[in-house]
């Protein structure tokens, strides 16, 4: 059990490392607008064993063909494309929030 705790602690420290080149560090220092779409996606991705968030994000993005393409898939389709279940849920939630934001925009324009 202690070995598992150590692995989790080590993985967490790598995620939150203070390397200026990681998307996590860059978003804190420069803001979300400074990151590429794939870098932003890598912050949502839980990679499968043996890969990195960046590689997982790149693979999903390439399979989907575009950001809009990626956001149209449901959880099961994303898992079938190679996403972890957690990643698939994060992407589906993001897509739904974007949809609801757009609906709010339309409703507010209709009241003008």
């Amino acid at each position: 059990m202690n070995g598992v705790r150590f692995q989790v602690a080590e993985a967490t420290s790598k995620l939150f490392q203070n390397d200026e080149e990681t998307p996590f560090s860059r978003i804190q220092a420069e803001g979300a607008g400074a990151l590429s779409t794939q870098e932003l996606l890598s912050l949502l991705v839980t990679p499968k064993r043996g890969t990195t968030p960046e590689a997982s994000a790149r693979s999903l993005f390439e399979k989907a063909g575009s950001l809009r393409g990626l956001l149209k898939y449901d959880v099961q389709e994303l898992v079938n494309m190679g996403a972890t279940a957690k990643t698939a849920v994060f992407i589906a939630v993001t897509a739904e929030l974007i949809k609801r934001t757009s609906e709010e925009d339309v409703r507010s324009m209709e009241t003008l």
Side-chain angles (χ1 to χ4, degrees):
M1 187 70 158
N2 285 338
V4 171
R5 285 186 187 147
F6 176 75
Q7 288 175 344
V8 169
E10 185 178 78
T12 302
S13 70
K14 286 180 183 176
L15 176 64
F16 296 104
Q17 65 186 341
N18 204 13
D19 179 0
E20 292 178 20
E21 296 302 315
T22 66
F24 186 85
S25 297
R26 289 191 52 230
I27 198 168
Q28 291 178 78
E30 303 170 40
L35 276 65
S36 70
T37 300
Q38 287 184 20
E39 288 173 316
L40 290 169
L41 185 58
S42 76
L43 294 170
L44 296 176
V45 169
T46 302
K48 291 187 175 181
R49 186 172 296 227
T51 188
T52 65
E54 293 82 2
S56 295
R58 184 171 40 262
S59 175
L60 284 172
F61 191 79
E62 287 172 358
K63 288 176 183 175
S66 68
L67 183 57
R68 185 175 304 278
L70 183 67
L71 295 176
K72 74 177 183 177
Y73 293 106
D74 67 24
V75 171
Q76 190 56 53
E77 290 170 322
L78 290 164
V79 169
N80 291 343
M81 291 171 62
T84 64
K86 187 174 184 178
T87 295
V89 168
F90 283 165
I91 292 170
V93 166
T94 300
E96 183 61 26
L97 290 171
I98 291 168
K99 177 183 167 190
R100 292 180 186 193
T101 301
S102 296
E103 289 169 353
E104 283 180 6
D105 290 345
V106 168
R107 281 193 300 275
S108 70
M109 293 175 85
E110 288 173 351
T111 59
L112 294 176

